[in-house]
Amino acid sequence: GENVEQHPSTLSVQEGDSAVIKCTYSDSASNYFPWYKQELGKGPQLIIDIRSNVGEKKDQRIAVTLNKTAKHFSLHITETQPEDSAVYFCAASGNTGGFKTIFGAGTRLFVKA
Amino acid sequence: GAVVSQHPSRVICKSGTSVKIECRSLDFQATTMFWYRQFPKKSLMLMATSNEGSKATYEQGVEKDKFLINHASLTLSTLTVTSAHPEDSSFYICSARVTLNTEAFFGQGTRLTVV
């Protein structure tokens, strides 16, 4: 089955700096890669996603890149703000896995004011 | 985006009792819903896939008699933790998709504490 690895587990940045979180996946048939933000005591909230037919997608301060050949995808947050502090999860899914969403281990992002 | 509502948000129960958690898709129909369990500071672990009108598909290591899933309608799936024990204490989260290969929307989670 699919396995998603995520790094780093913890990331601390200064307000205004950029943050990058990287993930790799194992199943070459996976074709949908969402990123979720989870705040304490709440369910994950989708912040951006990318499909395998696209290499990059951007939404304001958030961008995601995908390298299908290397099976890598990354989240980039620019001009970080304290309210960006949360746990971020990458995930992968595809039809061979029954469209189950498999999550990475998560990255705890701290943005220092 | 679509809204998934989960209820209750918190529940405390005594050992040996059963607890039911509801997951509703409020503005769309979901033939498939997913149930996850999350331990503190850990990732989401998929427990089972809930299919409307048929039996749930459980992940390896998840006891189907312990975690009963019922997906009786296109907008409601329930997870019942039977004969709960303290080790069942956890954060349980459901998700649903409009169609299978689209984004998944998550409920707000249920914090279960078994005392």
Side-chain angles (χ1 to χ4, degrees):
Chain A
E2 176 64 277
N3 182 51
V4 178
E5 296 197 357
Q6 182 172 348
H7 300 279
S9 57
T10 305
L11 178 60
S12 183
V13 299
Q14 204 66 37
E15 182 178 4
D17 287 350
S18 296
V20 180
I21 302 170
K22 298 182 178 182
C23 290
T24 61
Y25 61 99
S26 61
D27 188 350
S28 56
S30 290
N31 56 11
Y32 176 64
F33 306 93
W35 284 88
Y36 291 91
K37 176 182 181 182
Q38 186 178 30
E39 296 177 336
L40 191 62
K42 298 184 179 179
Q45 182 181 18
L46 180 72
I47 56 171
I48 195 168
D49 56 10
I50 191 168
R51 296 190 180 277
S52 58
N53 58 347
V54 175
E56 185 174 356
K57 183 176 179 181
K58 189 174 182 180
D59 182 4
Q60 299 182 354
R61 297 187 297 110
I62 296 174
V64 57
T65 59
L66 171 65
N67 182 329
K68 275 186 62 178
T69 304
K71 290 189 270 188
H72 289 174
F73 58 115
S74 300
L75 177 71
H76 303 252
I77 306 175
T78 58
E79 301 172 32
T80 53
Q81 301 166 2
E83 51 265 38
D84 293 330
S85 298
V87 179
Y88 291 81
F89 291 99
C90 63
S93 71
N95 55 2
T96 59
F99 298 103
K100 294 182 289 191
T101 302
I102 304 301
F103 285 80
T107 296
R108 190 167 297 273
L109 174 65
F110 298 96
V111 180
K112 296 176 287 186
Chain B
V3 179
V4 175
S5 177
Q6 197 171 331
H7 178 81
S9 57
R10 289 178 178 273
V11 59
I12 301 173
C13 72
K14 292 185 178 180
S15 288
T17 61
S18 295
V19 174
K20 181 184 285 188
I21 302 169
E22 292 186 349
C23 180
R24 295 182 184 271
S25 54
L26 296 187
D27 49 3
F28 66 101
Q29 294 183 330
T31 55
T32 304
M33 292 184 176
F34 302 87
W35 286 96
Y36 292 83
R37 182 174 182 176
Q38 187 177 31
F39 291 102
K41 298 186 178 182
K42 297 294 184 183
S43 187
L44 284 77
M45 180 188 76
L46 180 65
M47 298 174 66
T49 302
S50 171
N51 304 298
E52 187 268 337
S54 65
K55 291 182 179 180
T57 305
Y58 290 82
E59 295 300 301
Q60 192 172 9
V62 178
E63 298 177 62
K64 60 181 180 181
D65 295 329
K66 173 77 171 174
F67 300 100
L68 299 179
I69 291 172
N70 188 334
H71 195 151
S73 77
L74 287 171
T75 59
L76 174 64
S77 175
T78 61
L79 168 68
T80 301
V81 182
T82 62
S83 187
H85 290 109
E87 55 265 31
D88 298 324
S89 298
S90 193
F91 195 53
Y92 293 89
I93 311 172
C94 69
S95 75
R97 287 191 164 110
V98 176
T99 58
L100 277 179
N101 204 19
T102 57
E103 57 267 41
F105 296 96
F106 284 79
Q108 58 268 57
T110 297
R111 170 78 55 197
L112 170 64
T113 303
V114 184
V115 297

